[in-house]
Amino acid sequence: MLAQAVETVQTPEVPWSLLWPFLFMAIGAVILVTLTSLAPILRERSFPAFYTAAMAVGSAVSLYWIWNRVEEAGGAIMVLDGAMSIDYFTLFIAAIISVSVFFSALFLDDYLRREGLDGPEWYVLVLLSASGGLMMAAAEDLIVTFLGLEILSIAVYVLAALHLRRTESQEAGFKYFVLGALSSAFFLYGIAMIYGATGSTRLGEIASALNQTNSRGLVPVEDSSMLLAGMALLLVGFGFKISAAPFHLWTPDVYEGAPTPIVGFMASAVKVAGFAGFARVFLSSFVTVGADWRPVVGAMAILSIIIGSFLAIKQTNVKRMLAYSSISHAGFILIGLYAAGSTDPGVATLGSRSVLFYLFAYAVMVCGSFGVATLVGQRGDGAHSLTDYVGLSSRRPILAGLLVVLLFAQAGIPFTSGFWAKFGVIEAAVRDERYELAAAAMIAAVVGAYLYLKVIVSMFLTDAAEEAEVDADASDDVAVAVGADGSIALAPAATVAIIGAVVATVLWGVLPDIGGDLLRQAATTFIR
Amino acid sequence: MMFAAEAAEAVSFPVLPALVLIPLITAALIGLLPAAREEYTRIVALAGSAITGAVSVYMLSEFASADGGFQFVVERDWISDLGLSLSFGVDGISLFLVVMTGILFPLGLLATTADHDAKAYHIWVMILMAGSMGVFMALDLLLFFMFFEIVLVPMYFLIGGWGHGNRVYAALKFFLYTMAGSALMMIGIIGLVFLTAQHTGDVTFDMRALSVATSNLTTAEGYLILGTFALAFAVKVPLFPLHTWLPDAHTEAPTIGSVILAGVMLKLGTYGFIRFGLYLLPEASHDLAPIFLTLGVIGIIYGAIVATVQKDLKRLIAYSSIAHLGFIILGIFALNSQGIQGAVLQMVNHGISTGALFILVGWIYERRHTREIAALSGLQKAAPLFAGVFTLVMLSSVGLPGLNGFAGEFLILLGAFSGARWWAVVATVGVILAALYLLWAYQRVFHGSADGENATMRDLGFSEFASILPLLALIVGMGVYPKPVLDRIEPAVDELIVHITDRVDGFEEPEPDAPAEHDQRDLLIEALHEAEERLEAKAEGE
């Protein structure tokens, strides 16, 4: 009996040509480890960084052909026996994650040299983590989503703690690991509950189970407490990864302690992957029970925006400020997700579209912002207090100018991609006739703008005389910045990356419809 | 209409986008200049703004004055499936605001210098110019909103970086106050577009299409949407009680900041009330007019009284702006042709006179390093030309007949008297108060005995006089002969009135006991001539 079962196990066919982005990330990581172990000379110089950047570019370029094949196939190709779906949504998210990996590689290169932390393991972990993110975006099965989540997370736990000489980094890694593991447990419980309620972990089957109440003899309405518990636990798991309130508490501490280029990766790729998984699971499976989860998502959205905006005001550490701002951004994206869960296809399309555009714009902005923070942090990665930004406009006018664009973009000022991102989610909310959601978000965003203005005031509007005063007030912060030698080196790779981020932010701010057809196609992925 | 078509053909290049792009290109050029040669930035900025000004004047010359619709219209798809387009156009209402912007910027640059960081200063000024131009020309609701918001950024940096005293506080207050005001406006715009689309099936942000489509809105929807717009505009105007950012921002801003803030940016609010209130939502504007009239009149009286007791010359002018803008609101919500024509004319007039006043006060500050009225005295003796120029500008601000301020104020009061009589009666008191606070301030600053530094204050130099002269010419020219200006404003305003009359049930342009319009115009011109003679007599007497 057992022998017979073993014989009949069929491994699903693997359509390699559709999985290029995964291969670039996962196999690319393995090859990098091998190469650098066999030929230690490759550990030197910038080889690992440019290798990683090349993998990101390769992954992004391969998307072009895959997109065409998906188009020929009518929008989605189920691969690996239906465990993953290669569709427009997957490819769009893959593009954003590739961009994020590319940025991270360029920031890491100089950072590691500056901190004396040579080693390819950083890049290997970034690539592995990105492959997990891609898996989450494509997963059509909750188990695969979980696998992706863990591959993504475990690599980042290590990355957060990888700055061996900074105890803050160790602390951040530990905190992130403990809380992350807890949230994974919640997530796993959620999967079990959903399985119990619907009899499957496949997203499509869950959806049909919820659609046809009699399929498999299960009536979800009767089992609704189990379904609700399952959805609630999944929300906790995703909420943690996207750092939405009330599951945000780890964010400021981890962002403050973790190595700055890695924070950029966490705030972009990890968050994008979290939202991708979130969107796929809830929009593929749970649209019919939207009345149950959407109010919770709406509440999380408002709470995130309010907490992210108001608590940021008191902060004096720029990395902590950006952490709170990333919480507030998560809230905005959740508003889009709320609208995407609508049963009205028009509203749902607008919602998905706003989520995708926001993720793209946000990933670029936040990468650029943390890129600037990486450079300003200086040797020791400790100069992140507001006082360290005083007079940046005269010391490094170009860097200050670039950061201003990125900060205004995050505040949603017109003619930046950040404006269109906010416009998209507000438009979706208004179309959904949730005016109170839109109004609360816009008002909290004004409070949030104060945070960005505060950084700008430090950079541009604080005199040397006032600076001395501020320094005296904040001597504790200055003590942290020991090791800073006072001059900020503009590493070429990082500077080019930041300029790239700013150019993209302004370009999509003025001409937001570049690639609009791709966005529109991707937005219809979950519309049935 | 034929005439308009011919005029449009005659212009072979897209004038309106050029008005936005030239300042932007100038800003980019300044950015490329070597940091060591800061003196060139001023020249490039002056050239760029002067070219933009020249293009705006060229546009004025090509403008078909009899056509009340939008001219020089340029349209380009932006996000077509969301109904967004990059569309620009001007009509008689926005025409002179664009030209005023084109004139005030080069003159403001000529009259002032950056005391440090000239490069960044000029970049911000040019970005501000591009934004200010765009906001008056945008025909797409969202494009308008974007320009409306983007001007905050350069102004924020100008106040915060080159301002006086409590500049960072003033800049933050200005930015957050204005942003908070317009936070709900975006929801209002999107709501307006989608609520109308439910009836017309056509999603568009185009102002012209929406002005028709909004007739489908229910009364409550109209009120709510107008509410979100009005909040944004009321902060900008500013209407009492949302004005508290203005005295701080005006006082701490560098001269160019004050000039543009008063001359151009406050007009975004009143312009917005005409375009987004009267034009897009005539029913709601008609119904809610008493609220705005009341707030406007409170602003007139309150601004005047508070201005009277100010100790700082710049703060005094700031409060006088609140009063003047109150008059403009009164004219707009009188909802008749004279009132709105007067309001549009007064927007331009206020820009010219208050701009000139801020330039003059800036020069006093440059010389005396104080703006405190108590510390200044008898300046007339050391600087007679300065005093003469100040007199003229101040009298224009008071609204003396024969100068530009009079024509606008007269038309506003005329319109308000038939459209909103009791408000007009109260507002008239403001005219008297304006004379009081300005003349009193003038008396304390320029008359009396001169001691210490006051006795040796440098008079106007040639270049200073040259930079203020065009404004003086406009003050006198538009005062004596406002007809060419009014001729271009009138068709657009009349179309607006027809639009309101069509849309609002039982609304008739209220002019029961007013004489026919031409008689009024003649009356005005007669009054102007009379006043001119009196002014000449007075000048001879002195």
Side-chain angles (χ1 to χ4, degrees), chain A residues 76-391:
Chain A
I77 304 173
M78 291 301 215
V79 296
L80 302 176
D81 207 14
M84 277 158 98
S85 165
I86 305 297
D87 50 31
Y88 298 133
F89 179 83
T90 309
L91 301 179
F92 199 91
I93 296 292
I96 302 176
I97 291 179
S98 304
V99 169
S100 166
V101 169
F102 181 77
F103 277 121
S104 305
L106 294 188
F107 293 140
L108 268 175
D109 178 34
D110 166 68
Y111 178 82
L112 295 182
R113 207 173 307 127
R114 189 180 84 196
E115 306 288 321
L117 292 165
D118 215 31
E121 60 271 20
W122 293 73
Y123 302 98
V124 172
L125 289 169
V126 165
L127 285 171
L128 279 178
S129 173
S131 75
L134 297 178
M135 198 185 273
M136 265 181 101
E140 271 291 315
D141 189 312
L142 284 173
I143 301 295
V144 180
T145 309
F146 182 72
L147 273 178
L149 183 73
E150 287 304 291
I151 296 173
L152 172 86
S153 304
I154 291 171
V156 180
Y157 300 148
V158 180
L159 281 169
L162 211 48
H163 195 310
L164 301 173
R165 276 189 292 284
R166 285 187 77 224
T167 44
E168 295 93 336
S169 175
Q170 318 287 309
E171 186 194 329
F174 185 69
K175 258 185 196 159
Y176 193 29
F177 172 67
V178 171
L179 288 172
L182 187 68
S183 80
S184 295
F186 273 100
F187 192 82
L188 213 47
Y189 260 115
I191 297 175
M193 297 274 190
I194 299 290
Y195 182 76
T198 63
S200 177
T201 56
R202 286 284 158 96
L203 300 185
E205 287 172 24
I206 294 171
S208 47
L210 295 177
N211 264 333
Q212 304 154 14
T213 43
N214 289 324
S215 134
R216 290 171 183 245
L218 281 165
V219 183
V221 181
E222 288 174 11
D223 280 56
S224 66
S225 59
M226 192 180 267
L227 180 72
L228 286 181
M231 286 197 297
L233 292 170
L234 290 186
L235 274 177
V236 174
F238 284 125
F240 180 87
K241 277 292 158 248
I242 61 175
S243 66
F247 313 109
H248 65 282
L249 292 167
W250 60 276
T251 319
D253 291 345
V254 172
Y255 278 25
E256 184 184 1
T260 315
I262 296 307
V263 180
F265 183 76
M266 282 160 61
S268 55
V270 174
K271 208 169 227 185
V272 169
F275 267 108
F278 196 161
R280 185 176 287 281
V281 170
F282 277 79
L283 300 182
S284 300
S285 306
F286 299 130
V287 171
T288 44
V289 288
D292 290 329
W293 61 268
R294 288 177 77 210
V296 181
V297 168
M300 280 166 75
I302 292 304
L303 202 58
S304 303
I305 297 174
I306 289 175
I307 285 180
S309 307
F310 282 81
L311 293 191
I313 293 175
K314 292 291 280 176
Q315 306 301 324
T316 55
N317 180 298
V318 172
K319 275 168 85 179
R320 278 187 92 85
M321 289 172 129
L322 289 175
Y324 279 105
S325 101
S326 87
I327 295 169
S328 146
H329 283 301
F332 271 98
I333 303 172
L334 281 176
I335 291 183
L337 202 58
Y338 176 93
S342 167
T343 44
D344 175 343
V347 177
T349 314
L350 264 186
S352 299
R353 178 173 168 175
S354 72
V355 169
L356 288 168
F357 187 86
Y358 207 121
L359 287 175
F360 163 71
Y362 166 76
V364 173
M365 294 187 295
V366 83
C367 276
S369 305
F370 279 109
V372 176
T374 304
L375 294 182
V376 177
Q378 299 185 32
R379 193 171 165 74
D381 201 8
H384 294 296
S385 139
L386 267 182
T387 51
D388 295 310
Y389 284 75
V390 168

Side-chain angles (χ1 to χ4, degrees), chain B residues 56-258:
Chain B
S56 73
V57 172
Y58 168 73
M59 176 199 73
L60 175 62
S61 70
E62 294 288 321
F63 188 85
S65 54
D67 179 11
F70 289 102
Q71 302 184 29
F72 310 104
V73 173
V74 177
E75 272 184 290
R76 192 180 170 282
D77 273 353
W78 206 7
I79 309 183
S80 42
D81 67 316
L82 295 184
L84 289 163
S85 63
L86 282 166
S87 51
F88 294 104
V90 288
D91 67 352
I93 293 170
S94 53
L95 174 71
F96 288 99
L97 294 170
V98 171
V99 177
M100 180 188 72
T101 308
I103 292 173
L104 270 186
F105 269 92
L107 292 181
L109 279 172
L110 196 64
T112 58
T113 47
D115 52 358
H116 63 94
D117 270 337
K119 189 171 168 175
Y121 174 87
H122 288 117
I123 290 178
W124 289 126
V125 172
M126 295 322 291
I127 293 177
L128 183 59
M129 184 173 196
S132 314
M133 283 289 183
V135 76
F136 290 125
M137 304 186 303
L139 293 186
D140 184 282
L141 250 56
L142 198 71
L143 187 61
F144 172 91
F145 179 77
M146 291 175 79
F147 280 118
F148 187 82
E149 288 262 283
I150 194 73
V151 289
L152 298 184
V153 174
M155 190 49 95
Y156 167 78
F157 277 103
L158 284 174
I159 297 175
W162 288 268
H164 316 283
N166 213 353
R167 59 197 167 81
V168 175
Y169 167 78
L172 271 177
K173 190 171 176 183
F174 160 76
F175 196 101
L176 291 176
Y177 228 92
T178 325
M179 198 175 169
S182 51
L184 295 180
M185 189 179 167
M186 186 151 96
I187 300 171
I189 290 177
I190 300 171
L192 174 76
V193 168
F194 283 112
L195 289 174
T196 53
Q198 282 174 5
H199 297 281
T200 62
D202 186 21
V203 179
T204 175
F205 284 78
D206 189 289
M207 214 179 269
R208 293 157 294 176
L210 284 175
S211 73
V212 181
T214 46
S215 58
N216 297 311
L217 295 179
T218 65
T219 313
E221 287 166 354
Y223 286 0
L224 280 172
I225 293 170
L226 183 65
T228 66
F229 293 171
L231 189 62
F233 299 140
V235 170
K236 206 79 155 190
V237 168
L239 275 182
F240 181 87
L242 301 171
H243 62 277
T244 60
W245 64 270
L246 180 127
D248 286 317
H250 266 96
T251 313
E252 312 301 354
T255 300
I256 186 106
S258 309

Side-chain angles (χ1 to χ4, degrees), chain B residues 371-440:
Chain B
R371 296 182 306 258
E372 216 174 313
I373 297 175
L376 301 165
S377 168
L379 298 184
Q380 192 183 27
K381 299 199 174 59
L385 182 61
F386 201 121
V389 170
F390 199 95
T391 313
L392 188 75
V393 175
M394 177 199 66
L395 290 178
S396 131
S397 185
V398 171
L400 191 80
L403 301 177
N404 63 344
F406 175 73
E409 227 163 63
F410 181 80
L411 277 172
I412 288 174
L413 285 174
L414 198 64
F417 201 72
S418 52
R421 177 153 308 171
W422 291 107
W423 285 282
V425 170
V426 181
T428 317
V429 180
V431 181
I432 303 163
L433 287 173
L436 174 72
Y437 60 77
L438 278 170
L439 289 174
W440 193 36

